[in-house]
Amino acid sequence: MNAEIIAVGSELLLGQIVNTNARFLSRQLADLGVNVFYHTVVGDNSDRLKSAIKIAQERAELIIFTGGLGPTKDDLTKDTIAAQLGKKLVLDEEAMRSIELYFEKTNRVMTDNNRKQALVIEESIILKNENGMAPGMFLTTADHKYMLLPGPPSEMEPMFMKYGQAAIAGIYGSQARIESRVLRFFGIGEAALEAQIEDLIDQQSNPTIAPLAGDGEVTLRLTARDDAAGTAQSLIDKVEAAIMDRVGEYFYGYDETSLILELSKLLKSKNLTISAAESLTGGLFQQELTSVSGASGLFKGGIVCYSNEAKIGLVNVSPATIEKFGAVSRECAEELAVNIAAVSNSDIGISFTGVAGPDSLEGHPAGTVFIGVYVKGLPVHGEKLSLSGSRTAIRNRSVKFGCQLLIHRLTETRK
Amino acid sequence: MNAEIIAVGSELLLGQIVNTNARFLSRQLADLGVNVFYHTVVGDNSDRLKSAIKIAQERAELIIFTGGLGPTKDDLTKDTIAAQLGKKLVLDEEAMRSIELYFEKTNRVMTDNNRKQALVIEESIILKNENGMAPGMFLTTADHKYMLLPGPPSEMEPMFMKYGQAAIAGIYGSQARIESRVLRFFGIGEAALEAQIEDLIDQQSNPTIAPLAGDGEVTLRLTARDDAAGTAQSLIDKVEAAIMDRVGEYFYGYDETSLILELSKLLKSKNLTISAAESLTGGLFQQELTSVSGASGLFKGGIVCYSNEAKIGLVNVSPATIEKFGAVSRECAEELAVNIAAVSNSDIGISFTGVAGPDSLEGHPAGTVFIGVYVKGLPVHGEKLSLSGSRTAIRNRSVKFGCQLLIHRLTETRK
């Protein structure tokens, strides 16, 4: 099957927003084995939308629309498609009830134009909107399949994942489901990871294995379709086990998570507190740790010791250590980690010292980083990294490596 | 004039990257008064690209292509357009020289396929690539104008700004230029700012005034076209002065900058050092301050005092202050600011304490924030903010408000 994605919205043509919906849907369709040949963006204009539909009908079997399902006059996707296909719009009672409920819940008065959102193209499967008002639609004609999705990603993405992909796979409403699971890895490059599981990727069709790299991490999305016995999850389990056998040491979490979140969960479960002494990362570790609500249970505070004066004055590093080994050294990192735990009265101390670049420092090139990890009751551990990339990339990766190091350290102690 | 933007690249159809080029060009074209009616994305496939070109010829006068100008077999934009228009590809000597130079500079051996990048469509204006190898092109036929731009935004954007927009405006190669200047504002909403300068926006056509909001900031882009006397800059100056009269108190900088950068510049120029005590912002201020190389001259270090224990133990806040006024108070913020300057031996202390949310704290709702600013020799100043939005938004805005507060404070002392 081949597909075209048509985004409807003048705000896209004015450059006010970027078409992230097309990227999201393209990725998902690739997982489903659907080829996307074109993306089109067209404004809130009935004639131009009509013409875009005609062109898409010539070159695609599946046409997915995003946007233009709302209550205002500008929202003309439904009307235009219905007119083009000679179909009527009919009121969907369930959608109407859920719109009324939405207004009740938010204590607002429903204006009349909101009824428009409950109108759907006759004969279509209704895709429930669990994060907004306008329902989606899926319609099959002799030559084409049409899917209409809302524009806001917060509504579109969950609707597509829960109902849309099942409709495309032809299993909507059956017990069969499409399941997907994302495995997240850090500390290994995309090419190296793919090389280790190349045969698995090539052999697999259910589930499919789709790698994706970004921000120094690699993810693998496993997507399986139920067979008659409803075994999607167990098919994924089996492939996951095979992948873990090869590259499990780099794995850190499932689906939407991050290294800092996984570390936070682990600290909470073990009832441990942490503090940090940050030089090259300038507060990035602590900023990420506290970006999630509820950090106060595991983090009391820490120090950004950017200068040697601050390392000595605020974290009590011995001047002799800096004189003998330099601030960019394993010795300094270890002393910072031990001292910050003491100064802040925490169970764990972590430290980051090194060269963010672009200039070198103390004779070390940019990317030389030492991380100190101290867990009360265990010997302190210092790790040297040689990172590449921009100043921002080096700082970000340092924090990620620090999280991973600490997760490994804490998981070992559990054994 | 109306336009279509065609992005060529299978990586877009696979969802590996998002089409930010279309957004960039759409914004710029809006400034030039060109209507964009369609965006199209097509893969690295000659037949489908041909068909996309034919469709665009039917519906647009100006067709802008991004991507597919590189050295590999997949890069077929030039060949396909040339074939479609019955034009030849010819070697551009200047482009060839600059490609050779590029390899010399980077000490790499040039492979033969790189010559392909110096081939251009005959009769076109060559748009120089000052950030990569593949040149751009602008070609005028009886019915259309075609522009070919490279795919990487780091090459495409400067090429368009320096040469592309002049070509579209028909003033390429003349002395006349299109100039633009971005004015950046913080502390005023987009609607409020627009309301104050609505008449200016409506009256103006040269320069145009284009507002854009994001990340709690508002920017105005002023774009002017030279008249015969080459007065684009002075036309912009005049409108800028009129805008500043109305909303100058919220202005903080020109073009690509940020509040933290402007603050850093100011501190450097005054040879002042700064330190921070951060509670709700968790290190964000210090992380931003040190994200730019060269921060060590103005920042020695600081403290993340997330808990009351850390405020008392690390920043020497009096327990009586917290008991009497709470940690979320002007008094606590002021004491933190004064003490952090002393503890770190810096000229300036800034502090952030408040409620990032989602839960309330000490009876204050999420978004209640106190910022303390202490500049040696001046009385300490505490400011209360009532912010709204997510945890992340509240933290980000707190840091921006802190920067602005300090810039105002330091600029006053200059008077």
Side-chain angles (χ1 to χ4, degrees):
Chain A
M1 181 146 62
N2 78 72
E4 173 158 351
I5 300 167
I6 300 181
V8 187
S10 299
E11 66 278 18
L12 287 158
L13 295 179
L14 289 168
Q16 287 167 352
I17 55 170
V18 65
N19 192 6
T20 54
N21 284 343
R23 178 178 52 178
F24 174 84
L25 290 169
S26 294
R27 275 195 200 163
Q28 301 305 327
L29 291 167
D31 284 353
L32 292 171
V34 176
N35 295 311
V36 178
F37 283 162
Y38 297 95
H39 297 168
T40 296
V41 178
V42 58
D44 302 319
N45 175 293
S46 183
D47 289 335
R48 287 197 282 276
L49 176 55
K50 252 183 226 166
S51 137
I53 297 170
K54 272 187 210 158
I55 290 167
Q57 285 169 330
E58 297 286 317
R59 62 191 189 184
E61 295 156 73
L62 169 64
I63 308 173
I64 302 186
F65 299 85
T66 57
L69 301 184
T72 73
K73 270 193 191 167
D74 279 355
D75 295 303
L76 40 73
T77 304
K78 256 178 340 202
D79 308 59
T80 309
I81 297 172
Q84 188 85 347
L85 301 182
K87 304 272 180 200
K88 277 185 219 139
L89 290 177
V90 295
L91 189 83
D92 185 70
E93 294 293 344
E94 199 185 327
M96 193 65 238
R97 270 196 306 276
S98 85
I99 292 169
E100 285 164 354
L101 208 67
Y102 189 91
F103 277 93
E104 271 172 37
K105 259 195 218 160
T106 55
N107 258 326
R108 295 186 301 156
V109 177
M110 192 179 88
T111 53
D112 240 9
N113 57 354
N114 279 290
R115 279 173 207 288
K116 196 184 137 189
Q117 295 185 93
L119 292 175
V120 297
I121 300 175
E122 58 178 349
E123 297 157 24
S124 57
I125 293 174
I126 307 308
L127 311 176
K128 221 169 137 182
N129 190 340
E130 294 173 358
N131 300 277
M133 287 189 281
M137 279 151 264
F138 183 70
L139 182 66
T140 304
T141 65
D143 302 318
H144 296 95
K145 292 174 195 300
Y146 301 87
M147 182 172 290
L148 286 72
L149 298 169
S154 60
E155 301 178 21
M156 187 280 286
E157 294 182 7
M159 181 188 287
F160 184 84
M161 294 310 282
K162 194 154 177 192
Y163 304 111
Q165 58 179 1
I168 289 168
I171 54 174
Y172 180 90
S174 75
Q175 285 303 91
R177 281 277 174 275
I178 292 168
E179 303 283 355
S180 73
R181 186 182 304 166
V182 175
L183 312 182
R184 307 184 82 93
F185 299 87
F186 180 72
I188 184 171
E190 186 184 20
L193 188 140
E194 277 195 54
Q196 290 209 43
I197 59 164
E198 210 174 359
D199 54 322
L200 296 176
I201 295 178
D202 289 345
Q203 284 162 24
Q204 285 300 327
S205 60
N206 192 28
T208 54
I209 306 175
L212 191 73
D215 291 334
E217 304 191 14
V218 190
T219 62
L220 295 176
R221 177 183 288 274
L222 313 185
T223 307
R225 198 178 294 205
D226 268 351
D227 58 15
T231 51
Q233 289 290 1
S234 68
L235 289 171
I236 290 178
D237 288 343
K238 227 168 103 183
V239 171
E240 179 188 326
I243 292 170
M244 290 299 196
D245 260 358
R246 315 254 184 109
V247 290
E249 61 185 302
Y250 303 102
F251 171 81
Y252 77 83
Y254 293 103
D255 301 318
E256 284 310 305
T257 185
S258 65
L259 278 155
I260 201 94
L261 267 180
E262 292 299 314
L263 175 61
S264 298
K265 277 196 261 174
L266 189 59
L267 293 172
K268 264 182 206 162
S269 76
K270 289 176 163 274
N271 207 14
L272 292 169
T273 55
I274 188 171
S275 183
E278 301 188 59
S279 181
L280 88 151
T281 48
L284 184 62
F285 175 84
Q286 297 170 78
Q287 185 265 314
E288 288 195 4
L289 195 67
T290 57
S291 67
V292 180
S293 162
S296 54
L298 52 96
F299 174 71
K300 295 183 220 170
I303 289 172
V304 181
C305 47
Y306 208 60
S307 63
N308 289 352
E309 187 184 334
K311 288 179 187 74
I312 295 165
L314 300 178
V315 203
N316 306 328
V317 170
S318 145
T321 302
I322 293 181
E323 204 169 299
K324 191 166 171 196
F325 303 105
V328 183
S329 68
R330 191 183 311 268
E331 288 77 8
C332 182
E334 292 183 352
E335 211 171 316
L336 283 168
V338 172
N339 291 4
I340 193 65
V343 163
S344 67
N345 191 23
S346 303
D347 302 315
I348 296 172
I350 187 167
S351 70
F352 300 87
T353 181
V355 194
D359 300 328
S360 59
L361 188 66
E362 297 180 352
H364 301 285
T368 309
V369 177
F370 290 92
I371 300 179
V373 171
Y374 172 67
V375 181
K376 251 184 200 170
L378 290 176
V380 64
H381 173 78
E383 181 102 3
K384 182 181 178 176
L385 308 176
S386 296
L387 303 173
S388 58
S390 68
R391 191 174 165 86
T392 304
I394 287 169
R395 283 157 50 107
N396 282 330
R397 290 209 191 164
S398 297
V399 167
K400 287 183 177 179
F401 267 108
C403 292
Q404 197 184 38
L405 207 60
L406 199 44
I407 290 173
H408 282 177
R409 197 92 179 140
L410 291 170
T411 323
E412 273 164 30
T413 64
R414 204 166 40 187
K415 274 175 196 163
Chain B
M1 180 148 61
N2 78 72
E4 172 158 354
I5 300 168
I6 301 182
V8 186
S10 299
E11 65 278 18
L12 287 157
L13 296 179
L14 289 167
Q16 288 167 352
I17 55 171
V18 65
N19 192 6
T20 54
N21 284 343
R23 177 178 53 178
F24 174 84
L25 290 169
S26 294
R27 276 194 201 164
Q28 301 305 329
L29 291 167
D31 283 353
L32 292 172
V34 175
N35 295 312
V36 178
F37 283 163
Y38 297 95
H39 296 169
T40 296
V41 178
V42 57
D44 302 319
N45 175 293
S46 182
D47 290 337
R48 288 197 281 275
L49 176 55
K50 253 183 226 166
S51 135
I53 297 170
K54 272 187 209 157
I55 290 167
Q57 286 169 331
E58 298 285 318
R59 62 191 188 184
E61 295 155 74
L62 169 64
I63 309 173
I64 301 186
F65 299 85
T66 58
L69 301 185
T72 74
K73 270 192 190 168
D74 278 356
D75 294 304
L76 38 74
T77 304
K78 256 178 340 199
D79 308 60
T80 309
I81 297 172
Q84 189 85 348
L85 301 182
K87 303 273 180 200
K88 276 185 217 136
L89 291 177
V90 295
L91 189 83
D92 185 70
E93 294 293 344
E94 199 187 328
M96 192 66 237
R97 269 196 305 279
S98 85
I99 292 169
E100 284 164 354
L101 208 67
Y102 188 90
F103 277 93
E104 271 170 39
K105 259 196 217 158
T106 55
N107 257 325
R108 294 186 303 156
V109 178
M110 191 180 89
T111 53
D112 240 9
N113 57 354
N114 279 291
R115 280 173 207 288
K116 196 183 138 188
Q117 294 186 93
L119 292 176
V120 298
I121 300 175
E122 58 178 350
E123 296 158 25
S124 57
I125 293 174
I126 308 308
L127 311 176
K128 220 168 138 182
N129 189 341
E130 294 173 358
N131 300 278
M133 288 189 281
M137 279 151 265
F138 183 71
L139 183 66
T140 304
T141 65
D143 302 317
H144 296 95
K145 293 174 195 300
Y146 301 87
M147 183 172 289
L148 287 70
L149 298 169
S154 60
E155 302 177 21
M156 187 279 288
E157 294 182 7
M159 182 187 289
F160 184 83
M161 294 309 282
K162 194 154 177 192
Y163 303 112
Q165 59 179 0
I168 290 168
I171 55 173
Y172 180 90
S174 78
Q175 286 302 93
R177 282 275 173 278
I178 292 168
E179 303 284 353
S180 73
R181 187 182 304 166
V182 174
L183 312 182
R184 308 185 81 94
F185 300 87
F186 180 73
I188 183 170
E190 186 183 19
L193 187 140
E194 276 194 54
Q196 291 209 44
I197 59 165
E198 209 173 359
D199 54 324
L200 296 177
I201 295 178
D202 289 347
Q203 285 160 26
Q204 283 301 326
S205 60
N206 191 29
T208 56
I209 305 175
L212 191 74
D215 291 333
E217 303 191 14
V218 190
T219 63
L220 294 176
R221 177 184 287 276
L222 313 185
T223 306
R225 198 177 295 202
D226 268 348
D227 58 15
T231 50
Q233 289 291 0
S234 67
L235 290 170
I236 291 177
D237 288 342
K238 228 169 105 183
V239 171
E240 179 187 326
I243 293 170
M244 289 300 196
D245 260 0
R246 316 253 183 109
V247 289
E249 61 184 303
Y250 303 102
F251 171 81
Y252 78 83
Y254 293 103
D255 301 317
E256 284 310 306
T257 186
S258 65
L259 279 155
I260 199 95
L261 266 180
E262 293 298 316
L263 175 61
S264 299
K265 276 195 263 175
L266 189 58
L267 293 172
K268 264 182 208 163
S269 76
K270 291 176 162 276
N271 208 13
L272 292 168
T273 55
I274 188 171
S275 183
E278 300 188 60
S279 180
L280 88 150
T281 48
L284 184 62
F285 175 82
Q286 297 170 79
Q287 186 265 313
E288 288 194 5
L289 194 67
T290 57
S291 68
V292 180
S293 163
S296 54
L298 53 95
F299 174 70
K300 295 182 219 170
I303 289 172
V304 180
C305 47
Y306 209 60
S307 64
N308 290 352
E309 187 186 333
K311 289 180 186 72
I312 295 166
L314 300 177
V315 203
N316 306 326
V317 170
S318 143
T321 302
I322 293 180
E323 204 168 301
K324 191 167 171 197
F325 303 104
V328 182
S329 67
R330 191 183 310 269
E331 289 77 7
C332 183
E334 292 183 352
E335 210 170 318
L336 282 169
V338 172
N339 292 4
I340 192 64
V343 163
S344 67
N345 191 25
S346 303
D347 303 314
I348 296 172
I350 187 168
S351 71
F352 300 87
T353 181
V355 194
D359 301 328
S360 60
L361 188 68
E362 296 180 352
H364 300 284
T368 309
V369 176
F370 290 91
I371 299 179
V373 171
Y374 172 66
V375 180
K376 252 185 200 171
L378 290 176
V380 64
H381 173 79
E383 181 101 5
K384 183 182 179 175
L385 308 176
S386 296
L387 303 174
S388 58
S390 67
R391 189 174 166 86
T392 303
I394 287 170
R395 285 158 48 107
N396 282 331
R397 290 210 191 164
S398 296
V399 168
K400 287 182 178 179
F401 267 109
C403 292
Q404 197 184 38
L405 208 58
L406 199 44
I407 290 172
H408 282 178
R409 197 91 178 140
L410 290 171
T411 323
E412 274 164 30
T413 64
R414 205 165 40 185
K415 275 175 197 163

